[in-house]
Amino acid sequence: MPSLHALLGNTDAFFAELANGLADHGLPATLGPMDHLCYRAASNDEYISLKDRLSAHGQVLVEGMIGGRPIITYALHRPLASPFGPVPCLELAAPKAGKRHSTGLEHGEIVVPNLTALLETYPQVPFEQKGLPDELTLSLPPLQVKFHRRSLADTIAHEITNGLVVPVPSGYFQRQTREG
């Protein structure tokens, strides 16, 4: 079984780059726990291959359509060590149809108690605010750190309980292959 580092790349370097990017903006790595990181697949074939191999490293919490493409989330059997504390979940995102994506780790998400307080405490930070009231994003090209009030695992549990998960349509990957 390939290790997570073999599948995802150097997660230590990824976390260090995020922590350094936060520090460059005057933000500590201790704002809140990082509840997950996201790996973006460049192709549907890569998504399917990684989806199968990552299942050895975690339990699937959900797979559904988000933003027009499949995303699967795993609760890792062994949380990843990071400057933000243990990171318990991993998101694997398929590419959006018609867009080119680079393969690799793309963002981490930190849970904070209050997004408005974060904005008020750090007015100098160029947060992208279009996701308010649910999300703030700090762009650290080519990476991002996103901030939420609720963990991904809690959000998923709420969506499952309330029937809000949009399933991946049967034949989705076959249709994408024919259309692409």
Side-chain angles (χ1 to χ4, degrees), residues 33-39 59-64 66 71-76 87-93 107-112 134-135 146-160 165:
M34 182 171 283
D35 73 321
H36 75 277
L37 68 163
C38 177
Y39 185 98
Q59 174 185 347
V60 173
L61 296 179
V62 71
E63 181 179 31
I66 301 172
I71 293 181
I72 189 167
T73 302
Y74 301 88
L76 297 171
V87 179
C89 293
L90 169 68
E91 224 176 30
L92 172 62
H107 71 263
E109 297 196 16
I110 295 174
V111 179
V112 295
D134 300 314
E135 176 181 275
K146 298 182 181 187
F147 299 87
H148 290 267
R149 295 176 315 199
R150 178 191 251 181
S151 76
L152 181 59
D154 287 347
T155 299
I156 289 169
H158 171 79
E159 289 175 352
I160 290 170
V165 175

Side-chain angles (χ1 to χ4, degrees), residues 99-117:
K99 290 194 174 186
R100 288 179 101 54
H101 294 286
S102 297
T103 291
L105 292 165
E106 180 195 62
H107 71 263
E109 297 196 16
I110 295 174
V111 179
V112 295
N114 187 314
L115 295 175
T116 303

Side-chain angles (χ1 to χ4, degrees), residues 17-180:
E17 196 169 341
L18 295 183
N20 290 337
L22 290 180
D24 289 346
H25 289 285
L27 296 167
T30 56
L31 288 170
M34 182 171 283
D35 73 321
H36 75 277
L37 68 163
C38 177
Y39 185 98
R40 185 177 300 276
S43 70
N44 286 330
D45 288 341
E46 180 187 21
Y47 176 86
I48 292 166
S49 173
L50 275 172
K51 175 180 155 179
D52 292 341
R53 293 186 289 163
L54 287 169
S55 65
H57 295 279
Q59 174 185 347
V60 173
L61 296 179
V62 71
E63 181 179 31
M65 297 297 287
I66 301 172
R69 70 357 187 129
I71 293 181
I72 189 167
T73 302
Y74 301 88
L76 297 171
H77 297 312
R78 288 190 183 150
L80 294 165
S82 83
F84 309 96
V87 179
C89 293
L90 169 68
E91 224 176 30
L92 172 62
K96 289 184 179 181
K99 290 194 174 186
R100 288 179 101 54
H101 294 286
S102 297
T103 291
L105 292 165
E106 180 195 62
H107 71 263
E109 297 196 16
I110 295 174
V111 179
V112 295
N114 187 314
L115 295 175
T116 303
L118 184 62
L119 284 170
E120 291 171 355
T121 304
Y122 299 97
Q124 79 285 1
V125 177
F127 290 111
E128 185 179 294
Q129 299 180 38
K130 72 177 183 180
L132 283 175
D134 300 314
E135 176 181 275
L136 289 172
T137 301
L138 178 59
S139 182
L140 304 169
L143 308 176
Q144 299 177 347
V145 177
K146 298 182 181 187
F147 299 87
H148 290 267
R149 295 176 315 199
R150 178 191 251 181
S151 76
L152 181 59
D154 287 347
T155 299
I156 289 169
H158 171 79
E159 289 175 352
I160 290 170
T161 299
N162 292 287
L164 301 173
V165 175
V166 177
V168 177
S170 175
Y172 174 86
F173 293 105
Q174 291 79 13
R175 282 195 302 274
Q176 293 299 314
T177 301
R178 285 194 307 270
E179 293 170 7

